[in-house]
Amino acid sequence: NDNACRFLGYPREELLGLRVADLDAPENRVNAPEIVRQLFTVGQAMIEQLVVTKDGRKLAVEIHSHVFDLDGSPTMISCMRDIAERRRIEQALRESEERFAKAFHSIPAMVTIADALEEGRLIDVNEAFETITGYSRAEAVGRTPLELGMWPEVAEYEECVRQFGASGRLRNFEHHMRTRGGAIGVGLSATEVVEIGGRPIVISATIDITEQKKSDEAMRS
């Protein structure tokens, strides 16, 4: 489409004459056989790699590809997203990680780090997030909690967005949360915006209070 032409720097006629491999950075090609295998066995693939523009620049992208049948011929459609900013943030986080890595990974509360300018897409999660939600870091990074299906109550999500938008922070926000296996629990969250590498980053900590809520309800009954 037009965005692909602008992003890669090619006129449409020239771009249509290229193979997908012509846009790959040389360092990607070692993974090409595995990507092809996944496409034609699973029917889809999501990868992060470098593409080369017409003027020779290498750009970091996330590519979602699907293979489907078009009039009896296997056809691939791909959507490409520029992730240069996310990569830059990840690098900034890595450079400062030593200062908070121990607490981030060992704290029993679920902690997430998300990009405020990318619809809250997750940049990193801690071990408690993986344990409590059932989602691995690999599954979570690059997606939003909403895309993961972690908000079973739309009204609660909308209220969270309203409060956060009004003040730029959340304190003691109680909400339902869905795990990867479909179980519904209750979380108590606090959220703050900080600046890392010149970009606003959302850091959230959530305590699982499911058992506490069950005990409270049992006592009342």
Side-chain angles (χ1 to χ4, degrees), residues 41-220:
T41 55
V42 182
Q44 60 182 332
M46 183 182 77
I47 58 173
E48 291 184 9
Q49 64 179 44
L50 297 174
V51 294
V52 181
T53 64
K54 181 179 172 67
D55 60 7
R57 291 176 298 125
K58 293 181 180 180
L59 303 179
V61 296
E62 180 182 84
I63 302 175
H64 294 253
S65 297
H66 294 263
V67 174
F68 63 99
D69 184 274
L70 181 63
D71 296 330
S73 177
T75 303
M76 181 173 69
I77 184 168
S78 298
C79 298
M80 185 164 54
R81 186 165 68 91
D82 184 358
I83 59 170
E85 277 301 304
R86 195 181 89 199
R87 286 281 183 88
R88 189 175 68 83
I89 295 168
E90 289 172 345
Q91 179 61 32
L93 284 171
R94 281 193 293 270
E95 291 172 356
S96 62
E97 187 178 26
E98 291 181 2
R99 290 177 289 181
F100 66 88
K102 186 174 181 179
F104 175 73
H105 291 294
S106 63
I107 190 170
M110 294 166 44
V111 182
T112 62
I113 302 173
D115 188 344
L117 301 183
E118 281 283 339
E119 301 176 336
R121 294 188 184 280
L122 297 172
I123 297 169
D124 206 354
V125 298
N126 69 349
E127 280 86 345
F129 175 94
E130 295 180 295
T131 301
I132 294 170
T133 69
Y135 289 100
S136 68
R137 180 183 182 278
E139 291 174 310
V141 170
R143 303 170 72 185
T144 69
L146 195 61
E147 289 174 342
L148 290 170
M150 292 175 58
W151 286 89
E153 300 289 343
V154 175
E156 290 181 350
Y157 172 75
E158 292 174 345
E159 178 61 16
C160 173
V161 171
R162 187 193 69 77
Q163 289 188 28
F164 184 69
S167 63
R169 58 164 49 181
L170 283 177
R171 289 293 182 272
N172 299 321
F173 185 82
E174 187 175 309
H175 58 94
H176 290 85
M177 54 186 186
R178 181 188 287 117
T179 68
R180 192 180 191 279
I184 305 295
V186 182
L188 189 66
S189 296
T191 302
E192 193 79 40
V193 177
V194 299
E195 189 173 289
I196 298 178
R199 194 173 180 89
I201 301 299
V202 180
I203 299 179
S204 298
T206 301
I207 301 171
D208 185 355
I209 60 170
T210 306
E211 294 305 316
Q212 177 186 326
K213 295 293 288 185
K214 289 179 179 177
S215 297
D216 291 345
E217 291 173 4
M219 291 180 64
R220 284 194 296 269

Side-chain angles (χ1 to χ4, degrees), residues 20-41:
V20 172
D22 295 328
L23 302 174
D24 273 347
E27 50 264 51
N28 295 334
R29 292 170 190 165
V30 66
N31 298 320
E34 173 58 25
I35 295 170
V36 172
R37 184 200 65 78
Q38 184 177 352
L39 280 169
F40 285 94
T41 55

